[in-house]
Amino acid sequence: MLFHGAAWLLLLAFLHLVVCAEDYYKILGINKQASDKQIKSAYRQLSKKYHPDKNPNDDTAHERFVEVAEAYEALIDADSRKIYDQYGHEGLKKRQQGGGGHHDPFDLFSRFFGGGGHYQRGQPRGHSVEVKVGVSLRDFYNGRDTEFQWDKQQICEECDGSGSQDGAVDVCGHCGGHGIRIIKHQLAPGMFQQIQTQCDACGGRGKTIKHKCPVCNGNRVLRKPTTVAIKIERGAARDSKIVYENEADASPDYVAGDLVVTLTEKEPDLELDNPEHVDGVFFRRRGNDLFWREVLSLREAWMGDWTRNITHLDGHIVRLGRERGQVVQPGQVDTVENEGMPLWHEDGDSVYHETEFGKLYVEYTVVLPDQLESGMEKDFWATWEKWRGKIGVDLHKDSGRPEKPIPDEGVERDEL
């Protein structure tokens, strides 16, 4: 019994070590075989995501920020990572007690991002970037989760934004690290003019690099195609904007501005935007209302007895029609309630909100025949003559216009 009890204790202790060894990897979202580059990349993304300046009054985000910093420190150092993999948190505790304690997570963040840190107080803020994304009317109506790419300026991961291959950055010997130089010009004997100019040796940075990073060539940043996930809300307004905070061009020298995505309505692509061949892709939108033009023949407009089934943007059918004897005038507009755009609401389609819709306006265009067959022409003429004699109206006579042209004899006209 004692042997079995000891075996269980050893097994539990081993499982505890395994679980502990996985904790930091789970926090960073990586596996145990992750490279240093993958560890740095994970820290870069998560530290920005959970930074307290980006998540004010969110204690959970602050805790996650500290955990991410601890995980990064434990795994980026080869000796520390080896101890953690073998002995878990307890092994790291003993190492810290021997003088290898944790650093301030904010100081770590600042040092990681080239000495400035994306959210350091007093640091200048970069410009916001506006990107226009074309969205089909179908996606505005139904809503959609999609993505787009843009060339974003990113901090070089190879050198962590230092620009140096070996991490060594020296103070500029020309400007003393100030980034500016004072130049004196003699205007006259005893008269001098001082001009402050940017240091041309270091480009105003105050630092120089002997061994430039081969990836960014010492620029500390480079542009890469970046994929951005975007959620198009159902019924979103045309030219509405979605703001991604601090997701514009990044740099070690300033806080990234906002990425502003403007949703513009694009012309429908019959191959990409209309796989189900719905009529609704040809709707026209104005605010929350939709517009459609329906073509009728002379017989349909005059005699009625017709139906049309229009396939809406989500695939449901809108039925139009007239009974026999119901006339449709050219240019006549019908209003179909609740068949327009869905009215956007912050609760969307949920138990807390029932989606309302705008109107669909249908304008009728009547197509007249170019010519009539002789037999049809005789029949129509006879019919019109018969009814014109009984109830016909002479539009010219009723208009009050003169029966004959008025002679213009004796009327003087100015020469052109």
Side-chain angles (χ1 to χ4, degrees), residues 345 347-355:
H345 191 275
D347 290 332
D349 293 327
S350 68
V351 295
Y352 305 103
H353 173 255
E354 183 177 350
T355 303

Side-chain angles (χ1 to χ4, degrees), residues 134-411:
V135 178
S136 67
L137 181 60
R138 180 188 177 100
D139 290 339
F140 273 118
Y141 184 91
N142 295 299
R144 184 185 177 190
D145 292 328
T146 184
E147 58 187 26
F148 68 94
Q149 275 196 341
W150 72 292
D151 286 334
K152 177 182 177 180
Q153 177 178 287
Q154 301 181 6
I155 296 173
C156 178
E157 294 184 359
E158 185 68 24
C159 64
D160 295 331
S162 67
S164 172
Q165 185 178 16
D166 54 11
V169 180
D170 301 321
V171 175
C172 177
H174 290 77
C175 65
H178 298 293
I180 57 173
R181 297 174 63 186
I182 306 298
I183 301 176
K184 285 186 177 182
H185 290 288
Q186 184 175 1
L187 302 178
M191 295 181 61
F192 294 89
Q193 180 186 35
Q194 288 188 344
I195 300 176
Q196 178 176 299
T197 181
Q198 178 179 290
C199 177
D200 54 0
C202 64
R205 290 180 53 201
K207 300 176 183 178
T208 58
I209 301 170
K210 291 182 180 179
H211 305 289
K212 294 182 178 180
C213 170
V215 176
C216 64
N217 196 30
N219 294 319
R220 303 183 296 162
V221 296
L222 65 165
R223 289 200 173 272
K224 289 183 178 180
T226 304
T227 301
V228 179
I230 183 171
K231 182 178 181 62
I232 303 170
E233 299 283 352
R234 191 179 186 200
R238 184 194 292 124
D239 296 328
S240 58
K241 299 181 184 298
I242 302 175
V243 179
Y244 297 81
E245 294 184 358
N246 303 115
E247 291 298 334
D249 289 334
S251 169
D253 297 328
Y254 53 74
V255 178
D258 297 336
L259 174 64
V260 182
V261 178
T262 302
L263 304 179
T264 62
E265 185 179 329
K266 66 176 182 178
E267 291 295 324
D269 187 316
L270 299 185
E271 296 297 329
L272 298 177
D273 300 325
N274 195 21
E276 299 173 7
H277 303 287
V278 299
D279 302 306
V281 295
F282 300 106
F283 285 161
R284 302 174 308 283
R285 179 184 184 183
R286 185 182 301 164
N288 293 322
D289 298 324
L290 294 173
F291 294 80
W292 172 259
R293 181 175 288 114
E294 185 64 32
V295 177
L296 299 180
S297 67
L298 174 61
R299 185 200 66 78
E300 290 173 324
W302 181 20
M303 303 300 297
D305 190 27
W306 60 268
T307 58
R308 294 283 196 281
N309 292 329
I310 301 175
T311 310
H312 213 297
L313 288 160
D314 61 352
H316 79 271
I317 299 298
V318 178
R319 190 176 181 85
L320 306 175
R322 288 291 191 277
E323 298 292 334
R324 180 173 176 177
Q326 291 182 324
V327 177
V328 175
Q329 298 291 344
Q332 183 174 329
V333 177
D334 283 354
T335 302
V336 186
E337 299 287 343
N338 300 316
E339 291 294 353
M341 291 293 295
L343 276 58
W344 180 87
H345 191 275
E346 58 183 2
D347 290 332
D349 293 327
S350 68
V351 295
Y352 305 103
H353 173 255
E354 183 177 350
T355 303
E356 299 177 303
F357 294 84
K359 300 174 182 178
L360 171 64
Y361 293 95
V362 180
E363 178 185 358
Y364 293 103
T365 299
V366 179
V367 178
L368 301 180
D370 294 332
Q371 59 184 8
L372 297 176
E373 294 182 0
S374 58
M376 182 181 292
E377 189 273 338
K378 292 178 180 179
D379 291 340
F380 270 116
W381 183 263
T383 300
W384 286 119
E385 286 297 303
K386 175 183 176 181
W387 288 102
R388 187 170 68 169
K390 292 183 176 181
I391 58 173
V393 175
D394 191 330
L395 295 179
H396 178 71
K397 184 177 181 181
D398 291 349
S399 68
R401 295 169 183 166
E403 292 290 335
K404 298 180 180 180
I406 299 176
D408 57 357
E409 296 178 0
V411 177

